[in-house]
Amino acid sequence: MRIGFDLLGESEKAVSAEDTATAAESSKTDEPVRSVVSVFFPARGFSCSYYNDCFCLSRGDLVFVEGKLEGLVGRVEEVNRSFKIRLSDYKKVIAKADTHVNGELFFGKDSFIAFDRSVIPYEKVRSWFLPPVAEEEEYVRGTDDVFFPTEALFPSAVSKEIFERGIECCNKRSVAYLCLDRNRVRALVLGRNVYEVEFEYRAGEIGNFNCSCWNSGICKHDVAAAVVLEEALKTIEEQYSEEYKNSGYFAAVDRVVFDDRAVRGKERGKITVSDK
């Protein structure tokens, strides 16, 4: 079974006659509109007000801000375009998540699966959880080029403790997103923070793991992503082998995550369901 999505945010709606000319024009072009916005932070359970001059924001948008709550995703609750403030009194909105999804998603066990790279690409889904990487940050990585079958993670590559903690992550559905593009696997794993996992998949074997938790060796987030990859490939082989063969790519997003981040707050768009 598959679903066709075309989900648009409020800023992409046709504007009403009561909107100001500036707001109306910006809503059509998605150009920045100055505003003071109230942002609710689920991780903290409260709202704060911020100044915005970089984006066209509407209720339901996911954003990141500067200041004490930097790095936490928030959801816009109110937008005020008629205001006068002292800039020194306000922190700013610094990023807006891309929650526009357009294309076909196929049913997985607990996920939606895409075989088109443009539907739920990694960078789009990453923006639902994490702010853009600062330009001044530099990362260096190394790989040992050791590969092994997924089922040999324990005891060949990790301890029983790490393996069991990884399985626990899977049982909690902590792997929010995973994609395989030829040999490259990327995943987002939820926990105390949002962790970015990357490794390689070659002819049924996995290796060269890297996780943003910075633990040495293979960690529980790596294990969770590897297990989810194995499960997803089994589902695809059974139900969507032709789609995967044609693209050499798939991405899977947890259904609860998709509903919360891409569907919630939308007031315009469409969903088409097909058994074909």
Side-chain angles (χ1 to χ4, degrees):
M1 181 176 285
R2 61 185 178 182
I3 309 175
F5 279 94
D6 187 6
L7 300 178
L8 307 175
E10 279 195 356
S11 61
E12 294 166 290
K13 295 190 300 181
V15 292
S16 66
E18 290 78 17
D19 288 328
T20 63
T22 300
E25 185 63 26
S26 297
S27 293
K28 295 175 182 178
T29 63
D30 207 30
E31 292 181 353
V33 179
R34 290 181 181 178
S35 57
V36 173
V37 295
S38 175
V39 180
F40 176 74
F41 296 90
R44 294 293 184 267
F46 58 76
S47 302
C48 293
S49 294
Y50 294 87
Y51 173 61
N52 160 64
D53 63 354
C54 296
F55 310 97
C56 180
L57 295 180
S58 299
R59 292 188 308 275
D61 285 340
L62 299 178
V63 297
F64 294 89
V65 301
E66 63 181 5
K68 294 182 178 179
L69 299 178
E70 184 173 353
L72 295 179
V73 66
R75 191 180 296 275
V76 176
E77 290 185 314
E78 296 181 11
V79 179
N80 184 0
R81 294 191 175 102
S82 178
F83 63 91
K84 180 178 181 180
I85 61 170
R86 186 185 315 178
L87 284 177
S88 59
D89 291 339
Y90 284 79
K91 297 297 184 181
K92 294 180 62 175
V93 175
I94 59 175
K96 174 185 175 182
D98 178 6
T99 58
H100 179 207
V101 177
N102 183 293
E104 287 188 331
L105 293 173
F106 296 74
F107 282 99
K109 180 182 177 183
D110 295 313
S111 65
F112 292 124
I113 303 171
F115 299 98
D116 183 334
R117 289 174 175 80
S118 67
V119 178
I120 46 171
Y122 179 81
E123 293 301 334
K124 179 191 291 286
V125 180
R126 184 191 185 280
S127 77
W128 301 354
F129 297 96
L130 296 167
V133 177
E135 293 182 3
E136 65 271 15
E137 291 184 290
E138 291 188 34
Y139 297 94
V140 178
R141 56 176 292 182
T143 55
D144 55 18
D145 217 34
V146 176
F147 285 76
F148 38 81
T150 306
E151 60 270 16
L153 269 172
F154 169 74
S156 299
V158 299
S159 66
K160 182 179 180 181
E161 178 188 2
I162 294 297
F163 184 77
E164 290 179 346
R165 291 171 67 187
I167 295 299
E168 184 180 356
C169 285
C170 290
N171 292 337
K172 292 180 178 179
R173 292 173 62 174
S174 297
V175 181
Y177 173 88
L178 181 142
C179 67
L180 170 61
D181 194 351
R182 296 180 175 87
N183 295 327
R184 187 186 190 189
V185 181
R186 304 173 82 181
L188 296 167
V189 183
L190 309 184
R192 184 175 301 176
N193 298 302
V194 180
Y195 300 100
E196 298 183 86
V197 171
E198 184 174 345
F199 58 98
E200 293 182 55
Y201 175 79
R202 301 179 186 173
E205 296 191 331
I206 53 178
N208 290 340
F209 284 87
N210 279 276
C211 178
S212 60
C213 73
W214 310 118
N215 286 347
S216 59
I218 298 176
C219 67
K220 67 177 182 180
H221 310 114
D222 297 326
V223 172
V227 172
V228 169
L229 172 66
E230 184 179 30
E231 293 176 348
L233 287 172
K234 288 180 180 178
T235 298
I236 289 170
E237 183 180 0
E238 293 171 357
Q239 302 184 40
Y240 309 119
S241 58
E242 196 64 29
E243 287 84 355
Y244 179 52
K245 179 181 178 181
N246 290 337
S247 67
Y249 165 93
F250 83 85
V253 61
D254 183 87
R255 293 191 192 185
V256 174
V257 167
F258 185 83
D259 180 68
D260 180 61
R261 304 295 165 119
V263 178
R264 182 182 170 193
K266 294 293 191 297
E267 296 185 4
R268 181 172 180 252
K270 64 182 180 180
I271 298 175
T272 305
V273 182
S274 173
D275 285 324
K276 295 181 180 180

